[in-house]
Amino acid sequence: SRTRTETELDTTARVVAKSPCKVLVVPRGQTLWNKTIFLATDGSRYSDRAAVTATILAKKADIPLRVVSVVESLSNTSRHAIAKDALDRVLAHAKEAGVQVSGNVIEGHPVVDALAEAAAACQADLVVGGSHGRTGMERVFLGSVMERLIGRVSCPVLAIKGG
């Protein structure tokens, strides 16, 4: 038998997957962010959109932006180069906007675990990332990192959609 929380998380993940717009998921009892915004990037167009939004939010709130790109293994030089390029683009964009920003490529598998740990380590009070919005069988087998991150972090999660 499923608990109410598991059912709520599944329902929330479905809303995020099917929504054509940005979705902010705020756990009960949470307040607006005032410490650190955490951005997960993979270099996709969805992540690029998330980077723009996270930069705007960090600038308006005058708080730091922490950016992370995850690879399964740092020894995979081609994947590391892609992740580093994505990270460097976001860092440059945020710095140009006048945002205090830091970031790095980290190793971790599964990606969701690595992101949840990194967000907790920097005491993020908002996690932002791009959501591919998969549906149907693709969602069953792959899901979205952002959908799976909901419930894994204690702070609000902002999923930026394609559209």
Side-chain angles (χ1 to χ4, degrees), residues 38-42 66-71 104 106-122 124 127-130 144-146 148-149 152-153:
F38 180 88
L39 173 68
T41 186
D42 63 6
R66 175 79 176 128
V67 185
V68 171
S69 188
V70 180
V71 293
N104 62 319
I106 62 172
E107 183 177 57
H109 185 72
V111 171
V112 172
D113 290 346
L115 290 173
E117 290 170 15
C122 74
V127 172
V128 181
S144 162
V145 169
M146 293 308 293
R148 289 181 283 154
L149 203 49
R152 298 288 309 277
V153 294

Side-chain angles (χ1 to χ4, degrees), residues 22 39 46-58 90 93 128:
K22 299 172 186 169
L39 173 68
Y46 306 100
S47 287
D48 289 347
R49 289 182 177 135
V52 170
T53 300
T55 299
I56 291 168
L57 292 172
V90 173
H93 171 74
V128 181

Side-chain angles (χ1 to χ4, degrees), residues 12-130:
T12 303
R14 280 196 303 276
V15 169
V16 171
K18 293 180 185 261
S19 175
C21 60
K22 299 172 186 169
V23 178
L24 176 63
V25 179
V26 182
R28 286 186 185 101
Q30 289 296 310
T31 59
L32 288 180
W33 41 94
N34 60 18
K35 291 184 241 163
T36 303
I37 295 175
F38 180 88
L39 173 68
T41 186
D42 63 6
S44 68
R45 68 177 190 243
Y46 306 100
S47 287
D48 289 347
R49 289 182 177 135
V52 170
T53 300
T55 299
I56 291 168
L57 292 172
K59 176 91 173 161
K60 287 186 184 254
D62 193 27
I63 58 175
L65 176 62
R66 175 79 176 128
V67 185
V68 171
S69 188
V70 180
V71 293
E72 286 187 18
S73 171
L74 292 173
S75 62
N76 183 335
T77 55
S78 63
R79 290 280 184 206
H80 185 270
I82 292 168
K84 179 82 170 92
D85 180 58
L87 177 71
D88 289 345
R89 281 196 329 263
V90 173
L91 294 175
H93 171 74
K95 284 178 185 172
E96 186 176 304
V99 171
Q100 180 186 341
V101 63
S102 63
N104 62 319
V105 176
I106 62 172
E107 183 177 57
H109 185 72
V111 171
V112 172
D113 290 346
L115 290 173
E117 290 170 15
C122 74
Q123 299 180 330
D125 49 0
L126 174 65
V127 172
V128 181

